[in-house]
Amino acid sequence: PIFEQPPGRFALLVVDSYKTLRGFISDGPRVEFHQESAQDGACRLLTYTASTCTPTCTAPAVCIAGACVTEPSGVSAGAVTLRGVGEDDIAVAEDGLHNYFWDGQGGPAPTMPGLTAAGADVPAFDLEVCPSTSATPDGDWSALLEARAPGEPVLLTWSDPLDDARIYLRMTTGIGTHGGISPVEIECEGPDVGALELPGDFLDALYAEGWACGECGGNDLIRYYADETDDGGVQLRSESVTNFWFIP
């Protein structure tokens, strides 16, 4: 698994005829509230424990593990052009905080999505990826989670693995889906081999607490292709999503 990813990322997501590109490049590592406490296969268990800082952190800094840390600022890649998602190249908008975004409806399926940046705070780059399609589950993944006994793993399988693609899944609790910080999360990443095993003890920890809400329990298995700049600072992904739900 490749859990450590570049601090800059542009992600192209295609859902049916809807397409969206979101991008952000930071000038340092992003703030992470969770810490790895165990790893098993393609998955790792992430935990968070609240702490206090003396003196108290001044916003926008936050207290993590007894230290005040601040989310890094965004930097500009200059003019960015998206290709391979329609007949014409597309100029991608950039806002005042250096967030890049584009939304599109209809049109042909992506061919070979590419992204070209003129360069500004970061050097110019040109990246290209294969298009990704959503995985087709073998059976009902939610039912597998419902039927499992304590301590048992769950094996998710799908019928259409893609050569050289990778998969990513991050599972959180009701706290995490309602604006809070979940005490436990599960993160999985690895090559697309048509299967992913969720460790039983990780699932036990995830479902032990933090589910006092009704509309939560959604999970997204992301299948993606990626290309990165030579320095590893910026990544382009083409992503597709397979959703499944389970509320313990």
Side-chain angles (χ1 to χ4, degrees):
I2 305 173
F3 293 120
E4 303 302 326
Q5 297 282 344
R9 178 182 301 166
F10 290 79
L12 174 68
L13 175 66
V14 178
V15 181
D16 298 324
S17 62
Y18 177 72
K19 309 177 185 72
T20 179
L21 178 78
R22 295 290 182 268
F24 182 78
I25 305 173
S26 64
D27 62 0
R30 306 299 298 272
V31 170
E32 176 57 71
F33 288 91
H34 294 82
Q35 302 295 321
E36 179 181 315
S37 60
Q39 185 172 337
D40 186 347
C43 299
R44 64 176 179 172
L45 186 68
L46 301 173
T47 56
Y48 167 74
T49 302
S51 65
T52 58
C53 290
T54 304
T56 303
C57 302
T58 301
V62 294
C63 183
I64 301 178
C68 294
V69 295
T70 302
E71 190 74 20
S73 301
V75 295
S76 178
V80 170
T81 303
L82 175 66
R83 65 182 183 274
V85 298
E87 295 181 358
D88 301 316
D89 292 348
I90 299 164
V92 181
E94 178 184 10
D95 67 14
L97 298 176
H98 305 304
N99 295 291
Y100 288 86
F101 53 93
W102 169 79
D103 297 297
Q105 295 278 1
T111 53
M112 286 292 288
L115 199 71
T116 301
D121 300 322
V122 297
F125 59 82
D126 189 358
L127 303 173
E128 189 172 69
V129 290
C130 296
S132 180
T133 56
S134 300
T136 303
D138 291 325
D140 187 335
W141 293 349
S142 300
L144 293 177
L145 288 166
E146 180 72 39
R148 85 173 189 101
E152 287 187 349
V154 168
L155 182 64
L156 308 179
T157 62
W158 51 97
S159 60
D160 51 353
L162 296 177
D163 290 342
D164 300 322
R166 300 186 70 84
I167 55 96
Y168 177 81
L169 172 66
R170 186 148 178 167
M171 305 173 72
T172 188
T173 71
I175 296 174
T177 55
H178 282 70
I181 304 172
S182 172
V184 177
E185 294 190 348
I186 298 173
E187 185 179 40
C188 306
E189 200 280 341
D192 180 8
V193 295
L196 174 65
E197 183 171 272
L198 306 176
D201 54 341
F202 290 8
L203 292 171
D204 289 347
L206 179 69
Y207 297 138
E209 58 179 306
W211 289 93
C213 61
E215 290 298 324
C216 45
N219 304 287
D220 295 333
L221 180 76
I222 298 173
R223 180 155 62 181
Y224 73 95
Y225 288 98
D227 188 19
E228 298 178 3
T229 55
D230 291 339
D231 64 2
V234 182
Q235 180 187 80
L236 170 64
R237 283 191 182 189
S238 66
E239 298 182 342
S240 58
V241 176
T242 301
N243 308 106
F244 60 104
W245 288 79
F246 172 62
I247 301 175

